[in-house]
């Protein structure tokens, strides 16, 4: 059977890698607002995939469907080999322990120290970690991975924006996830700090072999971190390819993403 025209036949490199995320024909509407109109995505093991789209294009809705926070109208969403639609709450919670999240605003708990912020997901997912009498070694390992071992007892109010993002990244790593979802990881940061965060993301991927789905508007972030880029336009994946391929494309809708 011939492959569906909307997809390119997978390369030999892709064929030997497992699918970590598989989304097919995802549709979601809110009244007459058709946000996702048949969205497709595949993320392979150990890959960095960037999704770019204008505000309101459906990126946030896609992420919520991906982790079971929102139910799609139709379509298939599989994460780490499991169909999200078929999971009971307890099964969904176990799956989420294999997913690290870096939120756009860092989302640290202001009333907790850095250590307590990192211990929070460990308390929520005791099943995965088993009986751990002393959480300090795991917390320090995660903080040292982002160069913030000295900040363990600080409060979020004492951290700069870049430091907060690093702590949030350490928290995303604390359960040693197989998959990390990055939501605008460099948003609101100055250019130097943005480069530092991007380099940390690269180092983490190399060290742990995680698979990463990165939502970003930052063209420099996409250029440095991505192995593939998917452009989301009007609720569908409009184009897909490497940064080099897409940044040279003359299609006006594609060019609009890469103009500075």
């Amino acid at each position: 059977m011939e492959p569906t025209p909307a997809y390119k036949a997978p390369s030999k490199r892709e064929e030997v890698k497992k699918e970590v995320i598989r989304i097919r024909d995802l549709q979601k509407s809110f009244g007459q607002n058709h946000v996702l109109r048949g969205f497709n995505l595949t993320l392979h093991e150990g890959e960095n995939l960037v999704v770019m789209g204008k505000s309101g294009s459906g990126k946030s809705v896609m992420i919520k469907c991906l982790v079971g926070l929102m139910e799609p109208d139709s379509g298939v969403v599989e994460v780490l080999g499991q169909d999200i639609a078929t999971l009971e709450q307890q099964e969904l919670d176990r799956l989420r322990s294999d997913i690290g999240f870096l939120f756009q605003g860092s989302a640290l708990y202001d009333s907790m120290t850095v250590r307590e912020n990192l211990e929070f997901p460990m308390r929520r997912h005791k099943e995965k970690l088993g009986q751990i009498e002393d959480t300090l070694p795991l917390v320090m390992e995660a903080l040292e991975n982002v160069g913030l071992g000295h900040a363990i007892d600080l409060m979020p109010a004492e951290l700069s924006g870049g430091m907060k993002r690093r702590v949030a990244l350490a928290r995303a790593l604390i359960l040693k996830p197989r998959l990390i979802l990055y939501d605008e990881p460099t948003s609101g940061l100055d250019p130097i700090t943005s480069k530092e965060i991007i380099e940390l993301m690269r180092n983490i991927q190399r060290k742990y072999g995680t698979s990463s789905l990165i939502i970003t508007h930052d063209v420099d972030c996409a250029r440095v971190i991505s192995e593939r880029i998917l452009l989301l336009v009007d609720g569908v994946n409009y184009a897909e390819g490497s940064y080099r391929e897409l940044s040279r494309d003359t299609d006006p809708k594609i060019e609009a993403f890469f103009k500075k």
Side-chain angles (χ1 to χ4, degrees):
M1 180 181 292
E2 291 296 321
T4 305
Y7 301 97
K8 294 182 293 184
S11 66
K12 290 182 179 179
R13 176 173 173 271
E14 291 173 332
E15 288 174 345
V16 299
K17 289 194 172 186
K18 294 180 182 177
E19 290 181 353
V20 179
I21 296 175
R22 181 177 181 270
I23 298 175
R24 289 293 176 266
D25 197 27
L26 186 63
Q27 302 194 39
K28 182 65 179 178
S29 298
F30 300 92
Q32 296 302 310
N33 182 18
H34 303 294
V35 179
L36 296 174
R37 302 166 178 262
F39 178 75
N40 298 283
L41 178 150
T42 301
L43 174 67
H44 296 97
E45 192 173 46
E47 183 182 28
N48 287 340
L49 173 62
V50 166
V51 176
M52 301 179 73
K54 295 186 291 186
S55 296
S57 62
K59 301 186 305 297
S60 296
V61 172
M62 179 267 291
I63 287 288
K64 289 177 181 177
C65 291
L66 185 62
V67 296
L69 293 175
M70 185 177 288
E71 186 177 345
D73 298 331
S74 62
V76 175
V77 179
E78 295 178 353
V79 180
L80 299 175
Q82 300 186 68
D83 185 340
I84 295 296
T86 67
L87 299 181
E88 300 291 339
Q89 188 60 51
Q90 190 173 9
E91 295 171 316
L92 188 57
D93 288 341
R94 279 199 295 268
L95 177 63
R96 287 171 179 164
S97 72
D98 277 327
I99 304 173
F101 301 88
L102 182 64
F103 300 101
Q104 183 172 346
S106 299
L108 300 179
Y109 295 101
D110 292 336
S111 60
M112 296 181 181
T113 64
V114 167
R115 176 175 180 171
E116 291 167 338
N117 265 279
L118 267 67
E119 288 174 333
F120 185 78
M122 298 169 71
R123 292 199 302 270
R124 288 193 62 191
H125 298 286
K126 290 180 182 178
E127 266 186 33
K128 180 174 182 178
L129 295 174
Q131 292 297 323
I132 296 179
E133 294 183 6
D134 185 7
T135 60
L136 182 59
L138 285 175
V139 171
M140 283 303 299
E141 178 187 355
L143 286 174
E144 286 169 358
N145 277 329
V146 298
L148 283 180
H150 63 282
I152 187 168
D153 294 318
L154 296 181
M155 301 296 291
E158 300 176 273
L159 306 175
S160 67
M163 291 173 73
K164 288 179 181 177
R165 204 65 54 90
R166 286 170 178 261
V167 171
L169 185 51
R171 185 175 61 185
L173 290 170
I174 198 73
L175 296 178
K176 294 182 169 52
R178 295 169 59 189
L179 167 65
I180 301 182
L181 305 179
Y182 295 94
D183 184 11
E184 300 288 356
T186 60
S187 175
L189 301 178
D190 63 81
I192 293 175
T193 306
S194 292
K195 288 180 181 178
E196 292 173 350
I197 295 296
I198 293 167
E199 189 56 34
L200 276 174
M201 292 165 63
R202 285 163 56 94
N203 290 340
I204 286 164
Q205 198 272 344
R206 285 194 292 261
K207 182 172 182 178
Y208 293 102
T210 53
S211 308
S212 303
L213 180 63
I214 304 127
I215 306 295
T216 186
H217 287 93
D218 186 340
V219 175
D220 285 332
C221 177
R223 176 179 57 81
V224 174
I225 203 72
S226 67
E227 292 173 63
R228 280 189 300 131
I229 298 175
L230 188 156
L231 303 184
L232 178 55
V233 178
D234 296 329
V236 298
N237 32 321
Y238 185 79
E240 182 176 335
S242 67
Y243 178 88
R244 181 184 178 89
E245 291 167 340
L246 294 179
S247 64
R248 296 182 174 189
D249 200 294
T250 56
D251 183 309
K253 288 187 178 180
I254 296 176
E255 281 186 320
F257 282 92
F258 298 96
K259 287 180 179 177
K260 292 188 178 182

